[in-house]
Amino acid sequence: AAGAHPYYYHEFGDFVTRYSSFIWDKNLKKIHHPDTIINAPDKIWWKYWVYERDISDKEKQIIFHIVNPPLKQNVGEIGKNLPTPVENISINIFPVLNIKDYEIKRIVKLNPKPISKEDIKFSLVEGVYKFEIPRLDLWNIIVVEFGKKGGKK
């Protein structure tokens, strides 16, 4: 079919197929200055993969990918040596710009290996949403679900 993505038979193929809407949806809009909304440590990669998606006139999502950087700069140099997992990653979300009239309803962490979907607890402290990713082996997708303030999901 035109515009379809093939099934990639590789380590993450099942995960990418299952959660393809968070990767290839044509309604994903790249957030060009993500550090105005999200604060995460520099020891992980995330700034290049931050998107917004409108679900309805009352719901939207911020979707971002967090990556544990490789040990070597070039892919061919990596071999089978994977980076050391990163633990206790603190992330903040500032309800500004196009999300100021929304509140977070849910945060979900999607992990490709093993394939898992986990709700992440968050808190609102002095106007900033705070949460922690306990462990990042290689790559996770973080889905932040927003609802209009005062509205029900």
Side-chain angles (χ1 to χ4, degrees):
H5 289 275
Y7 172 81
Y8 296 104
Y9 188 74
H10 60 71
E11 189 171 3
F12 300 129
D14 291 344
F15 175 80
V16 169
T17 300
R18 179 177 295 169
Y19 296 113
S20 62
S21 67
F22 300 119
I23 300 168
W24 290 315
D25 188 337
K26 291 180 182 182
N27 293 316
L28 292 173
K29 294 176 274 191
K30 186 166 182 62
I31 296 177
H32 293 285
H33 300 285
D35 48 357
T36 60
I37 296 174
I38 299 170
N39 177 270
D42 290 335
K43 64 185 171 186
I44 61 169
W45 291 349
W46 64 275
K47 292 180 185 180
Y48 300 108
W49 308 285
V50 182
Y51 303 92
E52 177 182 2
R53 178 167 65 174
D54 292 327
I55 303 300
S56 71
D57 61 342
K58 295 180 181 175
E59 299 173 291
K60 65 171 55 196
Q61 296 173 327
I62 300 258
I63 298 154
F64 61 103
H65 301 247
I66 58 175
V67 177
N68 188 356
L71 298 170
K72 307 262 184 174
Q73 184 174 356
N74 296 320
V75 173
E77 297 174 359
I78 295 173
K80 295 189 183 249
N81 298 322
L82 297 176
T84 303
V86 180
E87 297 189 355
N88 304 318
I89 302 166
S90 295
I91 298 175
N92 297 325
I93 297 182
F94 305 97
V96 296
L97 303 174
N98 49 344
I99 59 170
K100 65 180 169 25
D101 296 328
Y102 290 82
E103 58 192 353
I104 293 178
K105 301 293 186 183
R106 181 178 180 208
I107 299 175
V108 177
K109 178 182 79 138
L110 305 173
N111 188 0
K113 190 173 181 182
I115 295 176
S116 63
K117 178 179 179 181
E118 174 186 350
D119 283 349
I120 299 294
K121 293 180 182 179
F122 63 90
S123 60
L124 179 61
V125 179
E126 296 180 7
V128 177
Y129 290 98
K130 298 178 176 284
F131 63 99
E132 189 171 282
I133 303 300
R135 179 183 169 109
L136 173 63
D137 290 319
L138 291 175
W139 164 45
N140 288 166
I141 299 174
I142 308 301
V143 181
V144 184
E145 299 177 359
F146 289 89
K148 279 267 186 170
K149 288 183 179 174
K152 294 184 179 182
K153 185 176 177 189

Coordinates of all heavy atoms in Angstrom, one line a residue, residues 36-81:
T36 N 12.3 24.0 25.7 CA 11.4 25.0 26.3 C 10.2 24.3 27.1 O 9.6 24.9 27.9 CB 10.8 25.9 25.3 OG1 10.1 25.2 24.3 CG2 11.9 26.7 24.6
I37 N 10.0 23.0 26.8 CA 8.9 22.3 27.4 C 9.5 21.2 28.3 O 8.9 20.9 29.3 CB 8.0 21.7 26.3 CG1 7.4 22.8 25.5 CG2 7.0 20.7 26.9 CD1 6.6 22.3 24.3
I38 N 10.6 20.5 27.9 CA 11.1 19.3 28.6 C 12.5 19.6 29.1 O 13.3 20.2 28.4 CB 11.1 18.1 27.6 CG1 9.7 17.8 27.2 CG2 11.8 16.9 28.3 CD1 9.6 16.7 26.1
N39 N 12.8 19.2 30.3 CA 14.1 19.2 30.8 C 14.5 17.8 31.1 O 13.8 17.1 31.9 CB 14.2 20.1 32.0 CG 15.6 20.1 32.6 OD1 15.9 19.3 33.5 ND2 16.4 21.0 32.2
A40 N 15.6 17.3 30.5 CA 16.1 15.9 30.8 C 17.6 16.0 30.7 O 18.2 16.9 30.1 CB 15.6 15.0 29.7
P41 N 18.3 15.1 31.4 CA 19.8 15.1 31.4 C 20.4 15.0 30.1 O 19.9 14.3 29.2 CB 20.1 14.0 32.4 CG 18.9 13.2 32.6 CD 17.7 13.9 32.1
D42 N 21.6 15.6 30.0 CA 22.4 15.6 28.7 C 23.0 14.2 28.5 O 23.5 13.9 27.4 CB 23.5 16.7 28.7 CG 22.9 18.0 28.6 OD1 21.8 18.2 28.0 OD2 23.5 19.0 29.1
K43 N 23.1 13.4 29.5 CA 23.7 12.1 29.4 C 22.9 11.1 28.5 O 23.4 10.0 28.2 CB 24.0 11.4 30.8 CG 22.8 11.1 31.6 CD 23.1 10.6 33.0 CE 21.9 10.5 33.9 NZ 22.3 10.2 35.2
I44 N 21.6 11.5 28.2 CA 20.8 10.7 27.3 C 20.5 11.6 26.1 O 20.6 12.8 26.1 CB 19.5 10.2 27.9 CG1 18.6 11.4 28.4 CG2 19.8 9.2 29.0 CD1 17.2 11.0 28.8
W45 N 20.2 11.0 24.9 CA 19.8 11.7 23.7 C 18.3 11.7 23.7 O 17.6 10.7 24.0 CB 20.3 11.0 22.5 CG 21.7 11.0 22.3 CD1 22.7 11.8 22.9 CD2 22.5 10.2 21.3 NE1 23.9 11.5 22.4 CE2 23.8 10.6 21.4 CE3 22.1 9.3 20.4 CZ2 24.8 10.0 20.6 CZ3 23.1 8.7 19.6 CH2 24.4 9.1 19.7
W46 N 17.7 12.9 23.5 CA 16.2 13.0 23.4 C 15.8 14.2 22.5 O 14.7 14.2 22.0 CB 15.6 13.1 24.8 CG 16.1 14.3 25.5 CD1 17.2 14.5 26.3 CD2 15.4 15.6 25.6 NE1 17.3 15.8 26.8 CE2 16.2 16.5 26.4 CE3 14.2 16.1 25.1 CZ2 15.8 17.8 26.6 CZ3 13.9 17.4 25.3 CH2 14.7 18.2 26.1
K47 N 16.6 15.3 22.5 CA 16.1 16.5 21.9 C 15.7 16.4 20.4 O 14.9 17.3 19.9 CB 17.2 17.6 22.0 CG 17.4 18.0 23.5 CD 18.5 19.1 23.6 CE 18.7 19.4 25.0 NZ 19.8 20.4 25.2
Y48 N 16.2 15.5 19.7 CA 15.9 15.4 18.2 C 14.6 14.6 17.9 O 14.2 14.6 16.8 CB 17.1 14.7 17.5 CG 18.4 15.4 17.7 CD1 19.4 15.0 18.5 CD2 18.6 16.6 17.0 CE1 20.6 15.7 18.6 CE2 19.7 17.4 17.2 CZ 20.7 16.9 18.0 OH 21.9 17.6 18.1
W49 N 14.0 14.0 18.9 CA 12.9 13.1 18.7 C 11.7 13.5 19.7 O 11.3 12.7 20.4 CB 13.3 11.7 18.9 CG 14.5 11.3 18.1 CD1 14.5 11.1 16.8 CD2 15.8 11.1 18.6 NE1 15.8 10.8 16.4 CE2 16.6 10.8 17.5 CE3 16.4 11.2 19.8 CZ2 18.0 10.5 17.6 CZ3 17.8 11.0 19.9 CH2 18.5 10.6 18.8
V50 N 11.3 14.7 19.6 CA 10.2 15.2 20.4 C 9.1 15.7 19.5 O 9.3 16.6 18.7 CB 10.7 16.4 21.4 CG1 9.5 16.8 22.3 CG2 11.9 15.9 22.2
Y51 N 7.9 15.1 19.7 CA 6.8 15.4 18.8 C 5.5 15.7 19.6 O 5.4 15.3 20.8 CB 6.5 14.2 17.9 CG 7.7 13.8 17.1 CD1 8.6 12.8 17.6 CD2 7.9 14.4 15.9 CE1 9.7 12.5 16.9 CE2 9.1 14.0 15.1 CZ 9.9 13.1 15.6 OH 11.0 12.7 14.9
E52 N 4.6 16.4 19.0 CA 3.3 16.7 19.5 C 2.3 16.1 18.6 O 2.5 16.1 17.3 CB 3.1 18.2 19.6 CG 1.7 18.6 20.1 CD 1.6 20.1 20.1 OE1 2.5 20.9 19.7 OE2 0.5 20.6 20.5
R53 N 1.2 15.6 19.1 CA 0.1 15.0 18.3 C -1.2 15.4 18.9 O -1.4 15.1 20.1 CB 0.3 13.5 18.2 CG -0.8 12.9 17.4 CD -0.6 11.5 17.0 NE -0.5 10.6 18.2 CZ -0.4 9.3 18.1 NH1 -0.3 8.7 16.9 NH2 -0.4 8.5 19.2
D54 N -2.1 16.0 18.1 CA -3.4 16.3 18.6 C -4.3 15.0 18.4 O -4.3 14.4 17.3 CB -4.0 17.4 17.8 CG -3.4 18.7 18.1 OD1 -2.9 19.0 19.2 OD2 -3.3 19.6 17.2
I55 N -5.0 14.6 19.5 CA -5.8 13.5 19.4 C -7.3 13.9 19.2 O -8.0 13.3 18.4 CB -5.7 12.7 20.8 CG1 -4.3 12.2 21.1 CG2 -6.7 11.5 20.8 CD1 -3.7 11.4 20.0
S56 N -7.7 15.0 19.8 CA -9.0 15.6 19.6 C -8.9 17.0 20.0 O -7.8 17.5 20.3 CB -10.0 14.8 20.5 OG -9.9 15.2 21.8
D57 N -10.0 17.7 20.0 CA -9.9 19.1 20.5 C -9.7 19.3 22.0 O -9.5 20.3 22.5 CB -11.2 19.9 20.0 CG -12.5 19.3 20.6 OD1 -12.5 18.2 21.1 OD2 -13.5 20.0 20.6
K58 N -9.8 18.1 22.7 CA -9.6 18.1 24.2 C -8.4 17.3 24.6 O -8.1 17.3 25.8 CB -10.8 17.6 24.9 CG -12.0 18.5 24.6 CD -13.2 18.0 25.3 CE -14.4 18.9 25.1 NZ -15.6 18.4 25.6
E59 N -7.7 16.6 23.7 CA -6.6 15.8 24.1 C -5.4 15.9 23.1 O -5.7 16.1 21.9 CB -7.0 14.3 24.0 CG -8.1 13.9 25.0 CD -8.6 12.5 24.7 OE1 -9.2 12.3 23.7 OE2 -8.4 11.7 25.6
K60 N -4.3 15.8 23.7 CA -3.1 15.8 22.8 C -2.0 15.0 23.5 O -2.1 14.6 24.7 CB -2.6 17.2 22.5 CG -2.1 18.0 23.7 CD -1.4 19.4 23.2 CE -2.3 20.2 22.3 NZ -1.7 21.2 21.6
Q61 N -0.9 14.7 22.8 CA 0.2 14.0 23.3 C 1.5 14.7 23.0 O 1.6 15.3 22.0 CB 0.2 12.5 22.7 CG -0.9 11.7 23.1 CD -0.9 10.4 22.3 OE1 -0.5 10.3 21.2 NE2 -1.4 9.3 22.9
I62 N 2.4 14.5 23.9 CA 3.8 14.8 23.6 C 4.5 13.5 23.6 O 4.4 12.7 24.6 CB 4.5 15.8 24.7 CG1 3.7 17.1 24.7 CG2 5.9 15.9 24.4 CD1 4.3 18.2 24.0
I63 N 5.2 13.2 22.6 CA 5.9 11.9 22.4 C 7.4 12.2 22.2 O 7.7 13.0 21.4 CB 5.3 11.1 21.2 CG1 3.8 10.9 21.4 CG2 6.1 9.9 20.9 CD1 3.0 10.7 20.1
F64 N 8.2 11.6 23.0 CA 9.6 11.7 22.8 C 10.3 10.4 23.1 O 9.9 9.6 23.9 CB 10.2 12.9 23.6 CG 10.1 12.8 25.1 CD1 11.2 12.5 25.9 CD2 8.9 13.1 25.8 CE1 11.1 12.5 27.3 CE2 8.8 13.1 27.1 CZ 9.9 12.8 27.9
H65 N 11.4 10.3 22.3 CA 12.3 9.1 22.4 C 13.5 9.4 23.2 O 14.1 10.5 23.0 CB 12.7 8.7 21.0 CG 11.5 8.4 20.1 ND1 11.2 7.1 19.6 CD2 10.6 9.2 19.6 CE1 10.2 7.2 18.9 NE2 9.7 8.4 18.8
I66 N 13.8 8.5 24.1 CA 15.1 8.7 24.9 C 16.0 7.6 24.5 O 15.6 6.4 24.4 CB 14.8 8.8 26.4 CG1 14.1 7.6 27.0 CG2 14.1 10.1 26.7 CD1 14.0 7.6 28.5
V67 N 17.3 7.9 24.3 CA 18.2 6.9 23.8 C 19.5 7.0 24.7 O 20.0 8.1 25.0 CB 18.6 7.3 22.4 CG1 19.7 6.3 21.9 CG2 17.4 7.2 21.5
N68 N 20.0 5.8 25.1 CA 21.2 5.7 25.8 C 22.3 5.7 24.7 O 22.4 4.8 23.9 CB 21.2 4.4 26.6 CG 22.4 4.3 27.5 OD1 23.3 5.1 27.5 ND2 22.5 3.2 28.2
P69 N 23.1 6.8 24.7 CA 24.1 6.9 23.6 C 25.1 5.8 23.5 O 25.4 5.1 24.5 CB 24.8 8.2 23.9 CG 24.0 8.9 24.9 CD 23.2 7.9 25.6
P70 N 25.5 5.5 22.2 CA 26.5 4.4 22.0 C 27.8 4.7 22.6 O 28.1 5.9 22.8 CB 26.5 4.2 20.5 CG 26.1 5.6 20.0 CD 25.1 6.1 21.0
L71 N 28.6 3.7 22.9 CA 29.9 3.9 23.5 C 30.9 4.5 22.5 O 31.8 5.2 22.9 CB 30.5 2.5 23.9 CG 29.7 1.8 25.0 CD1 30.2 0.4 25.3 CD2 29.7 2.6 26.3
K72 N 30.7 4.2 21.2 CA 31.6 4.7 20.2 C 30.8 5.6 19.2 O 29.6 5.4 19.0 CB 32.3 3.6 19.4 CG 33.0 2.6 20.3 CD 34.4 2.8 20.3 CE 35.1 1.8 21.2 NZ 36.5 1.9 21.2
Q73 N 31.5 6.4 18.5 CA 30.8 7.4 17.6 C 30.3 6.7 16.3 O 29.2 7.0 15.8 CB 31.8 8.5 17.2 CG 31.1 9.5 16.3 CD 32.1 10.7 16.0 OE1 33.2 10.7 16.5 NE2 31.6 11.6 15.2
N74 N 31.0 5.7 15.8 CA 30.6 5.0 14.6 C 30.0 3.7 14.9 O 30.5 2.9 15.7 CB 31.9 4.8 13.7 CG 32.4 6.1 13.2 OD1 31.7 7.1 12.9 ND2 33.8 6.2 13.2
V75 N 28.9 3.4 14.2 CA 28.1 2.2 14.4 C 29.0 0.9 14.3 O 28.9 0.0 15.1 CB 26.9 2.1 13.4 CG1 26.2 0.8 13.6 CG2 26.0 3.2 13.7
G76 N 29.9 0.9 13.3 CA 30.7 -0.3 13.0 C 31.7 -0.6 14.1 O 32.2 -1.7 14.3
E77 N 32.0 0.4 15.0 CA 32.9 0.2 16.1 C 32.3 -0.3 17.3 O 33.0 -0.7 18.2 CB 33.5 1.6 16.4 CG 34.4 2.2 15.3 CD 34.8 3.6 15.7 OE1 34.5 4.1 16.8 OE2 35.5 4.2 14.9
I78 N 31.0 -0.4 17.3 CA 30.3 -0.8 18.6 C 30.4 -2.3 18.9 O 30.7 -2.7 20.0 CB 28.8 -0.4 18.5 CG1 28.6 1.1 18.4 CG2 28.0 -1.0 19.7 CD1 27.2 1.6 18.2
G79 N 30.3 -3.1 17.8 CA 30.4 -4.5 18.1 C 29.2 -5.0 18.9 O 28.1 -4.5 18.8
K80 N 29.5 -5.8 19.9 CA 28.4 -6.3 20.8 C 28.4 -5.5 22.1 O 27.7 -5.9 23.0 CB 28.5 -7.8 21.0 CG 28.3 -8.5 19.7 CD 28.2 -10.0 20.0 CE 28.0 -10.7 18.6 NZ 26.8 -11.3 18.4
N81 N 29.3 -4.5 22.2 CA 29.4 -3.8 23.5 C 28.3 -2.7 23.5 O 28.3 -1.8 22.8 CB 30.7 -3.1 23.6 CG 31.9 -4.1 23.6 OD1 31.7 -5.2 24.2 ND2 33.0 -3.8 22.9

